[in-house]
Amino acid sequence: MNIIETNQLTKSYGDFTAVSRLNLHIRKGSVYGFLGPNGAGKSTTMKMFLGLTRPTEGGFQIDGKTYPGDRVAILKEIGSFIEAPAFYGNLTGEENLDIIRKILGLPKSSVSDALELVGLAPFRKRLAKKYSLGMKQRLGLAGALIGRPPILILDEPTNGLDPVGIHEIRTLIKSLPQQFDCTVLVSSHLLPEVELMADDIGILNHGRLLFEGTLEDLKTSAKTAGFPTDNLEDTFLAMIDEDNRKRGGAR
Amino acid sequence: MTLGIETKKLKRTGYLPAFLGGGLLAAAFPLVNMLVRSETFVSLPGDPFQILMDANWQMMAMLNILISICGACMMYHTEYADNGAQKMDVLPVRTGNLFLGKFVIAVLVLAAMVAMETAVLAGCALYWFPAYELTMPDLIKQAGFQWFVTLPTVMLMLVIASACKNMWVSLGIGAILVFTLTIFPQDNLVLSLFPFSSPYQLFAVAKQNSSIPLFLGVCAAETVLFGLIELILQKTRRCVA
Ligand SMILES: Nc1ncnc2c1ncn2[C@@H]1O[C@H](COP(=O)(O)OP(=O)(O)OP(=O)(O)O)[C@@H](O)[C@H]1O
Ligand SMILES: [Mg+2]
């Protein structure tokens, strides 16, 4: 069953199309890796899901609900982290999460729960603006994970983390569906990273979906198309390159 | 609930100290005025409280407006500085409620400021005009009126601050509006009903011209109107983003 589905989802800024006729299918209980180079439209797509920006055309449905009518109901089910961590610098990490907790109507214990989960517990009393980049990132993640929402939308969650942190967060994300019974949509630039976390993969380039399916499907289709398959990074680069060349030729 | 959340966001921003400081400064004004040149005022004919209002309220109202401008800028600076506003946008709350929470806080601290100022004015009147008798209901009506005619200014300033991600832009717009509307003649009825101008209106003068209902009505309407504009702004921002 698909918990998130888009139907010809399109977003244009003026005459520039950032996201073009996207048809995504995200299975309930899966980790979906959303892959693409800079400017591919990953963040834009996620922002549309969260109601931060309005689709120009097409639509989507999340757990049977549609935007804009069910905006608040959709947001109740999603924990999210978009682009850069968003927080109040004048408050401590703990106070930041407490605001979110109050809005979501969660029990008090959920704050320390979330802090533990992302490894911020020792720094709970420090002002968020005094956090290091990685700590801010972790605070953002904690704000998404608090309350264990059924859907998680994470935009490049390992950005700015150290190698140990990256490993920790990847492992955490991979374990989320079993642990919390949730669905995760996670974006990244790196196929090897997605490979470690995701069940399904969607590859985006210049706003268009090049591929959607499991890792196995990707390998199979890459083989038929004649792309290198022994190293997935190369597969990804070849696919993007091929698409860019086609686009260049069409112009 | 939103009120509690909005109050919490203001922690360590210097918001309450700013209002306390502003209120003390405004309240010190009549006091210093009387300490330095009480002879000028005690010899004047008429109601002592009104003599003091005439002499000091322009300055005090201006301070109230300036502090309200700073307050609105501070409130939205905490929202935009580290992008906290975006986090609010993806939580299941109506952004209109959050704005309303900010407005309620702003008018409550303004009320505290006006009350403090009125108390000092009343104290001065009683001290320097020993024969003067002051009744509490009158004082409350007086303070209530001065508070109410400042509401559109507070609301408009919050709308401006919420629309500008850069605090300095909203601060600049606020300062420009303050000075533009003080340059306009004060005796023009229509102009005196504008935000940034209505706070200077004296209760006694409005009473004399029996324009109290007019001021209350127009200020209430302006406040509601600016509130609606904010709601429309929030809607369109989501569409164009
Ligand atoms: N508000 C906007 N106005 C105009 N263009 C925009 C706006 N927001 C995004 N874009 C454009 O849309 C395209 C997609 O941007 P988006 O942020 O979705 O990319 P992304 O896939 O998240 O990239 P990255 O990996 O760098 O985060 C980019 O070309 C960007 O310049
Ligand atoms: Mg992005």
Side-chain angles (χ1 to χ4, degrees), chain A residues 42-43 83 155-156:
Chain A
K42 305 179 296 290
S43 301
E83 282 181 341
D155 194 6
E156 294 170 38

Side-chain angles (χ1 to χ4, degrees), chain B residues 10-145:
Chain B
L10 293 173
K11 229 173 160 179
R12 292 184 278 264
T13 54
Y15 184 81
L16 288 178
F19 272 87
L20 190 69
L24 286 176
L25 192 65
F29 200 76
L31 202 64
V32 171
N33 221 343
M34 288 310 280
L35 283 172
V36 177
R37 40 179 205 155
S38 57
E39 344 52 82
T40 337
F41 300 114
V42 285
S43 54
L44 288 176
D47 181 81
F49 193 86
Q50 293 324 317
I51 294 172
L52 287 171
M53 282 296 279
D54 272 340
N56 301 299
W57 189 252
Q58 290 294 315
M59 191 62 205
M60 295 167 86
M62 166 105 70
L63 272 170
N64 289 349
I65 296 173
L66 290 175
I67 294 290
S68 295
I69 292 175
C70 290
C73 291
M74 280 175 172
M75 273 180 163
Y76 274 96
H77 183 65
T78 49
E79 293 284 351
Y80 292 133
D82 295 296
N83 218 0
Q86 185 190 304
K87 187 71 213 177
M88 293 300 120
D89 280 340
V90 298
L91 288 172
V93 271
R94 300 204 174 279
T95 36
N97 287 353
L98 298 181
F99 179 82
L100 193 66
K102 287 186 162 55
F103 177 68
V104 171
I105 293 172
V107 299
L108 285 180
V109 286
L110 177 72
M113 243 172 104
V114 172
M116 197 152 79
E117 291 159 6
T118 312
V120 171
L121 282 168
C124 288
L126 291 173
Y127 182 81
W128 273 283
F129 302 83
Y132 184 49
E133 273 182 35
L134 202 70
T135 65
M136 204 56 197
D138 276 346
L139 215 54
I140 291 173
K141 261 190 247 166
Q142 162 80 36
F145 180 82

Side-chain angles (χ1 to χ4, degrees), chain A residues 140-154:
Chain A
L141 272 175
L145 294 169
I146 191 170
R148 314 187 165 191
I151 302 170
L152 276 162
I153 293 185
L154 306 174

Side-chain angles (χ1 to χ4, degrees), chain A residues 13 16 18 36-45 47 83 155-156 189, chain B residues 241:
Chain A
Y13 296 105
F16 171 75
N38 289 135
K42 305 179 296 290
S43 301
T44 306
T45 308
K47 281 182 184 168
E83 282 181 341
D155 194 6
E156 294 170 38
H189 300 121

